[in-house]
């Protein structure tokens, strides 16, 4: 049978995909630049063609039916695949450009201090670093590689383990010299503890870290509260108190003696850092070279240690 006869009208499917993703006919209409009535009409045509409802219309909201959820998942995957292919074939600039995404903290403290070595080895590859904590779907075509922290289970890409991590208290050498010695995790509660805002449930803060040693975090702690982890680290560098150091992020600062560990106590993370590649798109040769470099770099000593050994 002709494939087109098996498919619903593309206009109706586009309206359905937007309404399902946004959970709103009105928001779908705004995104598509049409009226709410037009979106509703297209979805009604689909439901008539299929012979069953795709949405449950509730008071001031809509919900997908079971069959609607199935169609929504398929339509979303198909549109992502098309968008990724279009972005790949129409991408401006040389074909050897590589776009890499990572969180602000990972880019700032780990990736950027090292990436010049990759550029030295592969000067023909133009690198573009996308730094943001809320990463786009890697199948969208905007990214070639993403570096994420988590369980490794992401629906939009295939994950390869880079390395795990551990977390321990850190402060500046001056703060350590001028304050009472910390022997146990319980001693930390008397010091200003630097915190940062985070929405990621995999992130470990002071409450979780202290609880691992059966220590209850004080309800009110002295110290800075920062918006980002990078700010928390700079507050620690400036002697404002004690922050939690993720070893992979602060190892260069420790090697340079700009930060010091407060105790030997550490918490191993359950999650890890992964390299994510698209599942449905061809990986450019540059992505393979970058992945090999990442894996090799992840097993080397910190940048600061390597520099000191060559001086």
């Amino acid at each position: 049978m002709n494939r087109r006869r098996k498919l619903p009208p593309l206009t109706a499917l586009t309206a359905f995909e937007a309404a399902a993703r946004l959970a709103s006919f009105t928001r779908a209409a705004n995104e598509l630049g049409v009226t709410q009535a037009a979106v509703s009409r297209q979805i009604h045509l689909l439901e008539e063609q299929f012979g069953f409802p795709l949405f449950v219309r509730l008071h001031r909201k809509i919900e997908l039916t079971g069959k609607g959820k199935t169609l929504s998942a398929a339509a979303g995957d198909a549109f992502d695949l098309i968008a990724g292919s279009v972005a790949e074939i129409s991408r401006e600039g040389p074909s050897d450009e590589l776009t890499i995404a990572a969180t602000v903290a990972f880019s700032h403290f780990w990736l950027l201090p090292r990436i010049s070595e990759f550029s030295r080895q592969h000067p023909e590859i133009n690198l573009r670093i996308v730094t943001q904590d809320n990463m786009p779907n890697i199948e969208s075509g905007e990214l070639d590689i993403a570096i994420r922290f988590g369980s490794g289970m992401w629906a939009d890409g295939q994950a390869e383990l880079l390395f795990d991590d551990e977390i321990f208290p850190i402060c500046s050498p001056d703060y350590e010299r001028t304050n009472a010695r910390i022997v146990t995790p319980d001693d930390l509660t008397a010091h200003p503890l630097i915190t940062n805002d985070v929405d990621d449930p995999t992130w470990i803060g002071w409450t979780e870290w202290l609880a691992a040693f059966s220590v209850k975090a004080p309800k009110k702690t002295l110290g800075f509260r920062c918006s980002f982890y990078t700010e928390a680290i700079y507050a620690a560098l400036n002697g404002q108190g004690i922050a939690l150091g993720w070893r992979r992020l602060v190892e260069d600062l420790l090697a340079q003696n700009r930060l010091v560990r407060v105790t030997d106590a550490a918490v191993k993370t359950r999650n890890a850092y992964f390299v994510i590649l698209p599942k449905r798109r061809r990986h450019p040769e540059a992505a393979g070279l970058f992945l090999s470099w990442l894996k090799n770099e992840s097993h080397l000593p910190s940048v600061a240690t390597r520099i000191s050994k060559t001086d």
Side-chain angles (χ1 to χ4, degrees):
M1 182 182 290
N2 187 305
R3 178 182 292 175
R4 290 190 63 184
R5 294 182 182 177
K6 294 182 180 181
L7 294 174
L10 183 57
T11 300
L13 192 60
T14 301
F16 165 76
E17 187 279 333
R21 173 167 42 82
L22 300 170
S24 167
F25 288 177
T26 302
R27 286 195 289 270
N30 291 336
E31 180 178 286
L32 297 173
V34 298
T35 65
Q36 189 268 351
V39 170
S40 181
R41 183 167 60 253
Q42 291 296 328
I43 292 170
H44 182 67
L45 289 173
L46 273 185
E47 292 175 325
E48 280 193 336
Q49 179 178 340
F50 293 147
F52 51 76
L54 297 169
F55 290 98
V56 177
R57 277 78 166 174
L58 303 171
H59 181 59
R60 294 188 176 180
K61 70 175 183 176
I62 56 173
E63 290 181 358
L64 286 164
T65 63
K67 291 181 178 179
K69 290 177 181 178
T70 300
L71 181 61
S72 174
D77 287 346
F79 283 8
D80 282 344
L81 179 59
I82 294 169
S85 298
V86 169
E88 183 175 350
I89 63 176
S90 61
R91 179 183 290 174
E92 295 182 359
S95 59
D96 56 1
E97 181 178 88
L98 191 66
T99 302
I100 305 150
T103 64
V104 174
F106 190 87
S107 293
H108 192 91
F109 292 121
W110 196 92
L111 183 59
L112 292 177
R114 292 165 171 78
I115 206 166
S116 60
E117 177 59 24
F118 177 81
S119 294
R120 187 190 65 78
Q121 295 176 19
H122 302 283
E124 75 283 1
I125 299 175
N126 296 314
L127 296 175
R128 175 173 173 253
I129 309 299
V130 177
T131 301
Q132 58 187 80
D133 289 337
N134 296 319
M135 292 190 191
N137 188 310
I138 198 167
E139 295 290 0
S140 67
E142 298 176 20
L143 309 175
D144 295 307
I145 287 181
I147 303 170
R148 296 177 183 167
F149 182 81
S151 65
M153 304 296 290
W154 289 284
D156 65 329
Q158 61 188 53
E160 293 195 35
L161 177 66
L162 187 58
F163 44 60
D164 57 12
D165 211 345
E166 63 176 350
I167 308 163
F168 43 76
I170 54 173
C171 66
S172 70
D174 285 344
Y175 184 90
E176 183 185 47
R177 280 192 297 268
T178 57
N179 286 273
R181 183 166 174 260
I182 297 169
V183 178
T184 68
D186 191 50
D187 296 335
L188 291 163
T189 60
H191 290 260
L193 304 180
I194 302 169
T195 62
N196 63 281
D197 299 331
V198 63
D199 294 326
D200 187 350
T202 64
W203 191 265
I204 295 175
W206 277 111
T207 299
E208 297 82 6
W209 193 91
L210 290 169
F213 300 95
S214 300
V215 177
K216 187 175 181 179
K219 291 183 178 179
K220 285 190 176 182
T221 59
L222 301 172
F224 270 36
R225 179 171 178 173
C226 306
S227 296
F228 303 102
Y229 184 70
T230 49
E231 296 172 350
I233 294 302
Y234 280 109
L237 285 166
N238 290 321
Q240 297 294 337
I242 300 173
L244 283 174
W246 293 61
R247 182 172 67 86
R248 294 290 187 171
L249 301 183
V250 301
E251 57 186 351
D252 289 334
L253 296 172
L254 293 170
Q256 295 163 356
N257 200 39
R258 296 177 64 193
L259 290 172
V260 294
R261 287 187 64 162
V262 174
T263 74
D264 291 332
V267 171
K268 289 275 189 181
T269 57
R270 294 181 180 179
N271 295 300
Y273 291 92
F274 290 86
V275 182
I276 316 299
L277 296 169
K279 287 181 179 178
R280 300 184 182 91
R281 285 191 288 120
R282 180 179 59 84
H283 304 153
E285 181 182 355
L289 293 171
F290 188 77
L291 180 58
S292 296
W293 173 81
L294 268 180
K295 289 181 175 180
N296 180 66
E297 193 70 24
S298 69
H299 293 95
L300 294 176
S302 70
V303 171
T305 300
R306 280 179 272 166
I307 291 174
S308 65
K309 287 182 177 180
T310 58
D311 286 345

